[in-house]
């Protein structure tokens, strides 16, 4: 019998150790394993329930309730099980879990009947929200309120944590002081000054996060950054996770401490912990400002970015009579053949054009076609399609390269090939407001010079402006 009792106590100590360290899954696993191997035990059911409740999720709350209920079936008068179950029920949302919330007052009365004036009775008396009554502050709000109270009054967090620890040990039945001691001890560790500042100054922290989100959201369209740059707002989430995890683990460690015997209620506490006040106007105003600023920035960024995406430049098409000494040949039969190269863009409402230049109308030196309109959603491989159309003619292709698009923007791609043993170069361009191609003889120019010649032809014909397209 003593050996079995020793095994149970050892299993309880292991599970509670995991719970105090914030290893909730390991605590549950150890408690379940011991319950299976050693049979029912009130402390193991208590630890299993607390390890579920510490996750602060609906599914885990349901499992915590099941653990408490199963423990109370075997140990109906266990004070700590009744207290933990009563706290879970009283803290539940009466709209979401009305049956569970309704069990809270009855469980609290049972605790007070079994141990009037005990620390457990005082805990359930300070329980969660009740139907028809004012909502009590959440555990995390109470915790942050107490931490801010201490950090604002001391210069040395380590000494404050040590003193709070001594006072918590002197009053083991004071849950609030136990949570404060665990939290201060965790915050006082080296390298956690940023977390202490975040706990001490929640309003400035929230405003800084909001400012970062606003700057990122507005910078994306203002600086023409890619859409995924907006994901930079998510860096504020990992910044808050360490503090939230630290607070949650501190509450779990305080809840996992051994049951406390009754003590002198007149013993002093450190620091004096006043009632947690309702949210101040400053906090509510800051929350409203943060929410409004982030939502407004998000909407503005989205609308602004979409307008940039959907916008396209309007061009006036006006071909010069001469280009680099070459005369425009409007009556050239070659112009008709060039016009046949223009894709059918009537569905897009585009306007097309074609020109040829050179001294000989039958053998022009430069040929070009193009179209103006709304091409903001043109496929990324449109230029490749233009080149593939040229290659489909069966002419040998020597090389192809990407070129700088010039002052009109967009993209440009060139290739060199042969037509009846005559070397030629084609440069195709595409931007949100125009597309087209320039064909000319390859006279041994470098890639950059050839692309520059094509850019000059494009810029000589297309003129950025807001007027309707007109062809000369």
């Amino acid at each position: 019998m003593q050996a079995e009792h020793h095994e149970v106590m050892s299993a309880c100590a292991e599970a509670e150790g995991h719970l105090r360290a914030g290893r909730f899954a390991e605590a549950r696993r150890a408690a379940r394993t011991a319950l299976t191997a050693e049979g029912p035990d009130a402390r193991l059911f208590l630890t299993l329930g607390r390890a579920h409740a510490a996750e602060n999720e609906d599914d885990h709350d349901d499992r915590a309730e099941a653990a408490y209920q199963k423990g109370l079936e075997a140990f109906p008068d266990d004070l700590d099980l009744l207290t933990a179950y009563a706290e879970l029920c009283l803290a539940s949302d009466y709209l979401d879990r009305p049956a569970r919330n309704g069990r809270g007052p009855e469980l609290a009365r049972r605790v007070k009947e079994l141990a009037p004036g005990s620390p457990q009775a005082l805990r359930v008396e300070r329980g969660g929200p009740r139907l028809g009554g004012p909502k009590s502050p959440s555990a995390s709000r109470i915790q942050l309120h107490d931490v801010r109270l201490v950090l604002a009054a001391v210069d040395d967090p380590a000494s404050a944590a040590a003193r709070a620890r001594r006072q918590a040990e002197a009053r083991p039945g004071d849950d609030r002081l136990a949570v404060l001691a665990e939290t201060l001890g965790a915050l006082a560790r080296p390298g956690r000054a940023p977390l202490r500042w975040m706990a001490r100054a929640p309003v400035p922290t929230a405003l800084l996060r909001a400012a970062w989100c606003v700057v990122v959201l507005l910078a994306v369209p203002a600086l023409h950054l890619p859409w995924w740059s907006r994901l930079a707002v998510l860096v504020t989430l990992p910044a808050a996770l360490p503090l939230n995890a630290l607070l949650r683990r501190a509450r779990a460690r305080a809840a996992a401490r051994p049951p406390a015997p009754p003590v002198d209620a007149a013993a002093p506490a450190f620091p004096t912990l006043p009632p947690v006040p309702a949210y101040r106007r400053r906090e509510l105003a800051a929350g409203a400002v943060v929410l409004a600023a982030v939502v407004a920035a998000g909407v503005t960024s989205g609308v602004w970015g979409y307008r940039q995406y959907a916008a396209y430049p309007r061009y006036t098409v006006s071909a010069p009579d001469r280009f680099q000494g070459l005369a425009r040949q409007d009556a050239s039969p070659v112009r008709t053949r060039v016009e046949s190269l223009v894709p059918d863009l009537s569905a897009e409402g585009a306007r097309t054009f074609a020109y040829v230049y050179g001294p000989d109308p039958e053998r022009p030196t430069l040929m070009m076609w193009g179209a103006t309109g709304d091409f903001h959603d043109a496929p990324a491989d449109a230029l490749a399609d233009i080149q593939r159309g040229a290659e489909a003619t069966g002419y040998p292709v020597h090389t192809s390269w990407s070129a700088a698009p010039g002052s009109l923007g967009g993209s440009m791609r060139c290739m060199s090939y042969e037509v009846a043993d005559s070397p030629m170069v084609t440069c195709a361009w595409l931007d949100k407001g125009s597309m087209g191609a320039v064909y000319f003889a390859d006279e041994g120019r470098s890639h950059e010079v050839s692309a520059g010649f094509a850019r000059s032809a494009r810029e000589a014909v297309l003129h950025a402006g807001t007027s309707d397209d007109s062809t000369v």
Side-chain angles (χ1 to χ4, degrees):
M1 183 66 70
Q2 290 182 350
E4 292 179 0
H5 179 71
H6 177 75
E7 291 292 334
V8 172
M9 295 299 292
S10 176
C12 288
E14 179 187 359
E16 290 170 353
H18 287 310
L19 183 58
R20 284 192 296 271
R23 298 188 292 270
F24 306 132
E26 289 86 343
R28 295 192 292 269
R29 190 179 303 112
R32 282 194 295 264
T33 301
L35 286 169
T36 302
E38 307 298 338
D41 180 82
R43 283 181 63 185
L44 288 173
F45 281 120
L46 178 64
T47 303
L48 178 59
R50 284 176 168 171
H52 276 299
E55 298 285 2
N56 196 28
E57 296 177 0
D58 289 342
D59 290 345
H60 281 285
D61 286 347
D62 294 341
R63 296 186 186 117
E65 182 176 26
Y68 294 145
Q69 289 175 339
K70 194 169 183 180
L72 289 171
E73 289 175 5
F75 308 95
D77 294 331
D78 186 87
L79 196 59
D80 292 308
L81 273 174
L82 284 168
T83 302
Y85 190 16
E87 290 176 321
L88 178 71
C89 293
L90 292 171
S92 63
D93 189 334
Y94 67 87
L95 294 177
D96 189 38
R97 295 288 193 276
R100 179 186 299 165
N101 183 269
R103 286 189 284 272
E106 180 60 33
L107 290 165
R109 283 192 291 270
R110 178 64 175 157
V111 171
K112 294 175 184 177
E113 290 172 1
L114 290 174
S118 66
Q120 291 88 344
L122 293 175
R123 282 165 53 185
V124 296
E125 190 173 345
R126 301 191 300 264
R130 291 164 172 78
L131 184 61
K135 186 175 181 180
S136 301
S138 65
S140 60
R141 174 162 169 77
I142 295 172
Q143 183 182 19
L144 279 172
H145 170 268
D146 294 343
V147 168
R148 287 199 299 271
L149 195 69
V150 175
L151 293 179
V154 301
D155 295 326
D156 185 5
S159 63
R163 188 175 176 188
R165 175 74 67 183
R166 290 193 299 270
Q167 292 294 330
E169 291 172 352
R171 296 192 61 179
D174 192 329
D175 290 340
R176 189 171 167 185
L177 187 54
V179 171
L180 175 61
E182 292 288 349
T183 308
L184 288 175
L187 287 172
R189 293 175 185 169
R192 292 186 174 174
L195 298 184
R196 291 195 295 272
W197 182 84
M198 292 169 63
R200 186 172 64 248
V203 172
T205 299
L207 292 177
L208 283 176
R209 291 176 187 159
W212 169 258
C213 293
V214 169
V215 168
V216 168
L217 291 173
L218 296 182
V220 170
L223 302 178
H224 301 279
L225 301 175
W227 67 266
W228 48 261
S229 300
R230 292 183 177 90
L231 297 178
V233 301
L234 299 180
V235 301
T236 61
L237 297 180
L241 290 178
L243 178 61
N244 293 335
L246 181 147
L247 297 174
R248 187 165 61 103
R249 288 194 296 267
R251 293 196 300 270
R253 288 194 299 270
R257 71 192 190 282
V263 296
D264 181 8
F270 169 80
T272 301
L273 299 177
V276 179
Y279 284 103
R280 295 174 295 174
R281 290 184 179 179
R282 178 170 173 261
E283 293 176 299
L284 295 175
V289 168
V290 166
L291 180 61
V294 173
V295 170
V299 172
T300 302
S301 178
V303 172
W304 192 357
Y306 177 78
R307 291 185 65 179
Q308 285 183 339
Y309 164 74
Y312 65 95
R314 271 69 169 176
Y315 291 109
T316 297
V317 179
S318 178
D321 292 335
R322 303 184 70 85
F323 171 71
Q324 296 192 5
L326 302 174
R328 193 177 76 199
Q329 302 290 347
D330 293 337
S332 170
V334 179
R335 181 180 180 182
T336 304
R337 292 198 296 271
V338 173
E339 287 176 338
S340 67
L341 299 175
V342 182
D344 183 8
L345 300 173
S346 57
E348 289 78 8
R351 297 187 179 186
T352 59
F353 60 86
Y355 299 105
V356 296
Y357 285 86
D360 185 354
E362 300 293 332
R363 297 177 60 86
T365 304
L366 180 145
M367 302 162 287
M368 69 182 302
W369 66 264
T372 59
D374 182 1
F375 299 119
H376 80 271
D377 57 352
D381 59 351
L383 288 184
D385 289 341
I386 294 175
Q387 277 203 349
R388 281 192 290 269
E391 293 171 359
T393 58
Y395 301 129
V397 176
H398 297 309
T399 184
S400 62
W401 69 94
S402 294
S407 61
L408 297 182
S411 56
M412 178 176 283
R413 188 164 183 81
C414 302
M415 73 174 185
S416 62
Y417 58 104
E418 286 188 11
V419 178
D421 297 328
S422 298
M424 296 287 294
V425 172
T426 295
C427 288
W429 81 83
L430 172 66
D431 64 68
K432 289 186 176 183
S434 71
M435 64 184 300
V438 182
Y439 307 82
F440 52 92
D442 185 357
E443 299 177 351
R445 306 181 182 96
S446 66
H447 287 177
E448 178 55 32
V449 172
S450 296
F453 185 70
R455 284 194 297 268
S456 298
R458 174 193 179 193
E459 293 166 2
V461 172
L462 293 178
H463 308 279
T466 57
S467 60
D468 293 334
D469 292 337
S470 61
T471 303
V472 177

